Amino acid sequence: MMMVPREEYWRWSEASWADPDKHWKDARVVTLGIDVGSVSSEAVVCLDGELYAFNTVRTAAGSVESARNAMKGVFERTGLRFDDIHYVVGTGYGRVNLPFAHKAITEIACHGRGANYMGGPSVRTILDMGGQDCKAIRVDERGKVTNFLMNDKCAAGTGRGMEVIADLLEVPIEELGPRSFDIDEEPPPVSDVCVVFAKSEAMARLKDGWSKNKVIAAYCRAMAERVAALLQRVGVEPDFFITGGISKNIGVVRRIEEIIGVKALPTPYDTQIAGALGAALFAHALYLKAQGKPQAA
Amino acid sequence: MIAHYGYKDAEGEFFITIDTDRCGRCEDKPCVAACPRGVFTVEEDPYGDTVVAVDDRRRRRLKYECAECKPAGDRPALPCVRACPWGAMTHSW
Amino acid sequence: MITAGIDVGSKNIKAVVLRDGRIAGEAVGSGGFEQLARATELLKQALRAAGCATADLAHITATGAGRTAVAFAHSTVTGVTAGARAANHLFPGARTVVEVGAEESRAVKTDGAGRVLDSAVNEKCAAGSGSFTESMARALGMTLEEFAVRSTQSTARIPMNAQCTVFAESEVVNLIHSGVDPKDIARAVHDAIASRVAAMVRRVKLEGDVVLLGGMAHNPGFVKCLKENLEVETLLIPERPELADALGAALVATDRAGGAPGERP
Ligand code: SF4
Ligand code: SF4
């Protein structure tokens, strides 16, 4: 079992970054966004509504502790202290428990805002898929959410379903994507939606003489069809932006693009921070509003 | 905003969809009291509207929460949908 | 008259041979990939137990998810119909039939004489059937028997958040790590599945006595939780609840051999 690398895959790495060309002392408004997710937690600092620094850590036992760990990293890197921050917004499943946040905002709203910043105002459809959930979000040109759904009930529509199949076939999860294209002909998707029953189906296919790669392809195709159905429920409109660990699995991404007929936008950003970034941007707008200043878009 | 609460699993799609632009205009939120299972909560959405949402503990088991209102072999009008004066709510069944 | 019913599930195959409406022979075995060969074998076993031969059979009816694989059957019947038929054969007049097997669960309302009036089925999501408990027992490192018995000893009620077998496995592991008593976890697992089954019963509306069929009827942890969730004092459980569908199919075979036109495959 490859417990650690598996988690790393969906979590991205514990990373911290600060823009060397900016300094917080020059900024008028310093805001902080904190996203406490089920697997990892992120802190993002924005200066006057622009991304400045971030830090991501593994989520610890408690939401508050995870949030503190994430903040600590960003403070150490930038020399900021908590008192220098004008406004804090919390998001993610642990958002309601953060005592130092001025406001809690849903991860859907924060995600939409963050993706709008990273992908630009032309982004209309966002897919976020991590180890434990899948979100399909439509936004307007300002990143305001117009339509969304989130599926965190069924493992079949999340990264977790991929992990199960990777374990079953004893293939490292990062190899699933490339191997799914190393086949003679695209097989039909696995028919069982349920991960538990799909496992038996995969075993039966191997017994029929299918190669592992062919089984992987059939599984990636089924996953792509499932995700595409969720996307179609909210409606797909370009530009299309993908965040979360799934973006690293080209076996699923290429097949989704083919089904919906739209290619995903490339991005230089670490999209793992989308939620926390959105929270910091909300914090900026909320602070200006509280000061009675005209709100920046 | 169109908010879909629920899930898709191997049994099918179980979503409650709320049009928050309509829901935000509704003063009394009668659907909350109409639901025998306490499926709904009232919250302020990120854009400042006071709207109805599906309770977090119920969201992942809507097929079972709504079982009483959705008899086998029939599709009656649902109490929550019937209570909504703005036509803001639909179920995917 | 001698007839047979064969229930081909994705996991197990069961065969029942009836002589003049009474069980004369039975056989249970695993299914696997070669369903037809296994079904043939198990029918022969059941016939041997009954002391008769294939040629004596007036009619064979197959049921279960793999029923169409049984090429030699004269007719087929759905599991819902077979279960209802068996339930009212064993408990005439009972109106509500609950059946929970390894990979499927259902609630059926009957007319008390074996005819189906309404049904609600859970067959595609593994969290809705008996295999959910098997996965959780495995995560706890207990045998199914131990898991079931421990569950009945719990007095605490802890909630389970995950509604998916895969996510529930991790939740159970987390509960163990945070020091929750295994018997309380076992109870939570049985309660979760019982509440899903009870919801299906609400869809057909509980009426009169409730019959419980299927392999899960052997699980005292589940039975206890199901009674609580349905708010009933007793559940009518036959001696061999796991054979119910095969028995129902054999009863249908008897009806059809008796002149009533059967649906030929
Ligand atoms: S269908 Fe399977 S994977 Fe999906 S929720 Fe049910 S048990 Fe989990
Ligand atoms: S269908 Fe019934 S239980 Fe479900 S949300 Fe509506 S009123 Fe509540």
Side-chain angles (χ1 to χ4, degrees):
Chain A
M1 296 282 278
M2 308 150 304
M3 279 312 274
V4 174
R6 257 222 266 118
E7 280 187 13
E8 293 299 329
Y9 185 81
W10 295 106
R11 232 172 41 75
W12 302 63
S13 45
E14 293 205 340
S16 110
W17 173 89
D19 188 339
D21 300 331
K22 293 197 181 85
H23 199 284
W24 57 269
K25 286 193 172 129
D26 305 331
R28 279 181 303 126
V29 182
V30 184
T31 57
L32 174 67
I34 303 173
D35 181 358
V36 180
S38 49
V39 189
S40 67
S41 300
E42 291 87 26
V44 167
V45 174
C46 281
L47 303 181
D48 297 322
E50 295 289 335
L51 174 62
Y52 167 54
F54 69 79
N55 183 46
T56 140
V57 297
R58 195 181 299 261
T59 293
S63 314
V64 180
E65 192 190 336
S66 309
R68 280 195 205 287
N69 289 346
M71 282 194 307
K72 210 173 126 218
V74 100
F75 291 164
E76 274 167 10
R77 180 166 278 272
T78 58
L80 268 164
R81 288 164 308 142
F82 190 79
D83 294 343
D84 300 320
I85 312 260
H86 294 101
Y87 206 97
V88 183
V89 166
T91 188
Y93 91 98
R95 65 179 179 271
V96 284
N97 298 322
L98 302 181
F100 37 80
H102 296 92
K103 201 174 161 76
I105 296 182
T106 65
E107 57 254 61
I108 299 285
C110 289
H111 229 91
R113 192 72 175 254
N116 166 269
Y117 184 95
M118 290 191 280
S122 63
V123 169
R124 286 294 170 280
T125 312
I126 302 154
L127 168 68
D128 175 65
M129 190 160 141
Q132 309 209 12
D133 69 2
C134 174
K135 308 183 191 86
I137 307 172
R138 290 277 303 274
V139 290
D140 67 12
E141 69 287 350
R142 288 174 308 138
K144 184 177 179 219
V145 176
T146 56
N147 197 326
F148 77 86
L149 70 78
M150 172 167 82
N151 189 13
D152 62 355
K153 186 263 179 181
C154 174
T158 72
R160 191 57 185 281
M162 302 272 9
E163 289 172 4
V164 171
I165 217 70
D167 279 355
L168 181 76
L169 299 176
E170 296 175 314
V171 170
I173 193 157
E174 64 277 9
E175 283 178 25
L176 291 180
R179 287 184 68 155
S180 77
F181 294 114
D182 192 5
I183 45 169
D184 298 331
E185 186 188 6
E186 180 86 355
V190 288
S191 56
D192 243 313
V193 171
C194 177
V195 175
V196 180
F197 298 145
K199 268 164 80 174
S200 342
E201 195 177 338
M203 295 302 285
R205 293 286 163 277
L206 289 174
K207 204 161 177 290
D208 290 347
W210 282 31
S211 66
K212 278 189 188 179
N213 289 0
K214 199 166 162 188
V215 173
I216 295 169
Y219 203 82
C220 286
R221 159 77 42 186
M223 185 78 130
E225 286 184 359
R226 228 164 286 151
V227 173
L230 289 180
L231 280 168
Q232 272 145 8
R233 178 166 270 281
V234 302
V236 179
E237 189 192 325
D239 289 346
F240 176 46
F241 195 66
I242 301 184
T243 62
I246 194 66
S247 60
K248 296 183 200 170
N249 186 327
I250 55 160
V252 177
V253 170
R254 288 290 122 73
R255 287 177 174 88
I256 294 172
E257 290 175 336
E258 185 200 310
I259 296 167
I260 64 173
V262 178
K263 280 217 176 305
L265 276 190
T267 176
Y269 290 102
D270 181 343
T271 61
Q272 179 79 350
I273 62 164
L277 171 59
L281 294 169
F282 265 114
H284 178 74
L286 286 164
Y287 178 75
L288 292 186
K289 202 169 155 196
Q291 299 297 300
K293 296 196 180 119
Q295 195 175 334
Chain B
M1 180 168 67
I2 308 295
H4 302 272
Y5 297 99
Y7 55 91
K8 174 190 171 79
D9 71 0
E11 300 288 341
E13 297 196 3
F14 304 93
F15 287 102
I16 298 178
T17 302
I18 294 169
D19 181 338
T20 62
D21 296 334
R22 295 183 191 200
C23 182
R25 276 182 258 153
C26 181
E27 290 281 324
D28 305 328
K29 313 282 192 242
C31 59
V32 178
C35 173
R37 303 285 298 181
V39 164
F40 302 106
T41 56
V42 178
E43 62 177 39
E44 191 190 326
D45 83 3
Y47 312 111
D49 289 326
T50 302
V51 298
V52 160
V54 171
D55 186 279
D56 243 5
R57 285 157 306 177
R58 320 262 172 205
R59 200 164 44 77
R60 295 188 204 93
R61 37 174 296 132
L62 285 183
K63 179 183 179 190
Y64 305 108
E65 292 295 345
C66 298
E68 212 150 337
C69 297
K70 299 181 178 177
D74 195 11
R75 278 201 179 202
L78 304 173
C80 49
V81 174
R82 235 177 17 213
C84 176
W86 296 88
M89 185 186 299
T90 52
H91 285 238
S92 68
W93 282 73
Chain C
M1 182 176 31
I2 297 170
T3 59
I6 301 183
D7 174 14
V8 185
S10 23
K11 234 179 184 164
N12 288 320
I13 298 180
K14 296 139 197 162
V16 164
V17 173
L18 290 186
R19 181 183 285 120
D20 301 325
R22 291 174 175 280
I23 298 186
E26 55 173 70
V28 180
S30 62
F33 298 117
E34 317 278 335
Q35 285 182 325
L36 178 57
R38 291 292 288 142
T40 312
E41 230 173 276
L42 287 159
L43 176 59
K44 285 209 177 114
Q45 261 183 45
L47 282 165
R48 234 177 287 131
C52 44
T54 316
D56 301 332
L57 285 170
H59 197 102
I60 306 170
T61 300
T63 188
R67 61 185 178 272
T68 50
V70 189
F72 57 79
H74 300 97
S75 67
T76 61
V77 68
T78 63
V80 171
T81 305
R85 183 76 175 77
N88 281 150
H89 175 77
L90 299 163
F91 304 102
R95 309 282 306 256
T96 309
V97 182
V98 182
E99 193 160 353
V100 187
E103 301 205 335
E104 188 176 330
S105 62
R106 53 180 106 100
V108 181
K109 161 105 121 280
T110 77
D111 64 354
R115 247 185 312 272
V116 176
L117 300 179
D118 252 330
S119 66
V121 184
N122 218 331
E123 52 184 347
K124 299 203 178 94
C125 167
S129 61
S131 75
F132 182 75
T133 27
E134 286 171 32
S135 305
M136 298 313 125
R138 217 176 306 129
L140 267 172
M142 285 188 203
T143 64
L144 261 183
E145 288 71 27
E146 192 190 344
F147 191 58
V149 171
R150 289 274 211 107
S151 163
T152 62
Q153 297 160 349
S154 162
T155 47
R157 250 199 140 129
I158 54 164
M160 286 218 38
N161 295 316
Q163 299 291 329
C164 165
T165 307
V166 178
F167 290 139
E169 278 171 12
S170 332
E171 188 172 346
V172 163
V173 170
N174 286 342
L175 288 171
I176 301 170
H177 283 165
S178 51
V180 178
D181 192 326
K183 66 175 187 288
D184 298 334
I185 303 177
R187 154 92 175 260
V189 167
H190 288 105
D191 195 50
I193 171 95
S195 89
R196 293 195 269 271
V197 171
M200 288 196 297
V201 176
R202 283 198 293 276
R203 292 199 66 196
V204 301
K205 300 259 180 305
L206 194 153
E207 210 176 283
D209 291 336
V210 183
V211 179
L212 177 61
L213 306 174
M216 282 289 278
H218 285 301
N219 176 326
F222 172 70
V223 171
K224 185 164 182 259
C225 289
L226 185 61
K227 279 186 199 163
E228 288 166 6
N229 274 277
L230 290 176
E231 297 172 14
V232 296
E233 291 291 319
T234 44
L235 292 170
L236 302 173
I237 303 175
E239 212 172 300
R240 301 294 303 276
E242 74 281 9
L243 286 182
D245 282 5
L247 169 63
L251 290 165
V252 169
T254 307
D255 300 344
R256 288 177 182 170
E263 38 162 312
R264 305 258 160 185

